[in-house]
Structures are given as structure tokens and as C-alpha cells.
């Protein structure tokens, strides 16, 4: 199955620069979030969202064409909301640009 992956901040370094933090992984049926993290060699604390919803359970089983976003926790928790918002407000877009430029 194919899983779309979007990496933020320092996690983007796991991919070549031209990927711009985005890739598609081919994983066996029944793969879980933990398998994505392992495939990308992410061994530090990370927040994950599946299809726009924050997911803390690393054993969650993924489905073909799911999108997994991986990012570091932001102080105060506001960063996660910015990254998950599908239609960000002007202020959220500005915040997201600032976060991604770090």
C-alpha cells in the first residue's frame, strides 16, 4: 500500500532537499504509524497526524493512500493545530510559515 508522508522542521532532513519534506512510502498491508517512523529512522519524540487528525497511538493501522504528517511538538500546543488545519486562517498561514522557516 502507498502512504503519503509530510515531514516538518528537522524531520525534513530525513529526505533529500528536492523532496521538500514530502514522500510516498510503499508499505505492506497492516502497517502502522510506528512502521512509518521506523522506515524514516525517526527515533525521537514526534507528533503524528493521519489524514489531518492528531494521532497519539503509534499502533494505529494505516490504509492505502493515508497521509501521515510528522512534526515536533510546539510549545503551548498551538503548532499542532496550525499544521492540521486544512483551511488555515491568514494568521495560521503566517504562523505556519514562521514555524516551517525555523
Amino acid at each position: 500500500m502507498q502512504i503519503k508522508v509530510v515531514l516538518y522542521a528537522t524531520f525534513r532532513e530525513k529526505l533529500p532537499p528536492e523532496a521538500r519534506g514530502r514522500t510516498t512510502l510503499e508499505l505492506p498491508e497492516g502497517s502502522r504509524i510506528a512502521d512509518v517512523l521506523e522506515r524514516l529512522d525517526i527515533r525521537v519524540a514526534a507528533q503524528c497526524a493521519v489524514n489531518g487528525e492528531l494521532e497519539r497511538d503509534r499502533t494505529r493501522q494505516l490504509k492505502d493512500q493515508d497521509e501521515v504528517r510528522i512534526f515536533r511538538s510546539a510549545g503551548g500546543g498551538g503548532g499542532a493545530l496550525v499544521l492540521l488545519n486544512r483551511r488555515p486562517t491568514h494568521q495560521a498561514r503566517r504562523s505556519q510559515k514562521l514555524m516551517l522557516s525555523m
Side-chain angles (χ1 to χ4, degrees):
M1 68 180 177
Q2 291 190 336
I3 303 298
K4 296 176 229 169
V5 180
V6 181
L7 303 176
Y8 293 93
T10 57
F11 294 131
R12 291 175 71 148
E13 296 171 5
K14 299 289 184 180
L15 301 173
E18 59 273 10
R20 303 185 74 183
R22 295 177 180 273
T23 192
T24 300
L25 298 178
E26 187 70 38
L27 295 171
E29 292 293 327
S31 292
R32 303 174 187 283
I33 294 173
D35 299 317
V36 172
L37 296 171
E38 183 178 329
R39 173 75 67 90
L40 295 170
D41 196 32
I42 296 175
R43 300 172 191 262
V44 297
Q47 294 291 322
C48 298
V50 178
N51 301 326
E53 300 290 327
L54 188 62
E55 182 59 68
R56 296 183 190 280
D57 182 7
R58 300 293 187 257
T59 64
R60 175 179 169 170
Q61 198 168 21
L62 300 169
K63 296 177 285 196
D64 188 45
Q65 297 302 311
D66 275 349
E67 179 185 71
V68 178
R69 293 177 178 247
I70 303 169
F71 49 94
R72 291 215 181 248
S73 298
L81 295 176
V82 170
L83 296 174
L84 298 178
N85 191 343
R86 291 178 184 245
R87 292 192 180 122
T89 63
H90 174 70
Q91 182 179 2
R93 282 193 300 271
R94 241 180 116 217
S95 297
Q96 186 177 20
K97 285 179 186 175
L98 290 173
M99 286 180 60
L100 295 177
S101 67
M102 289 190 226

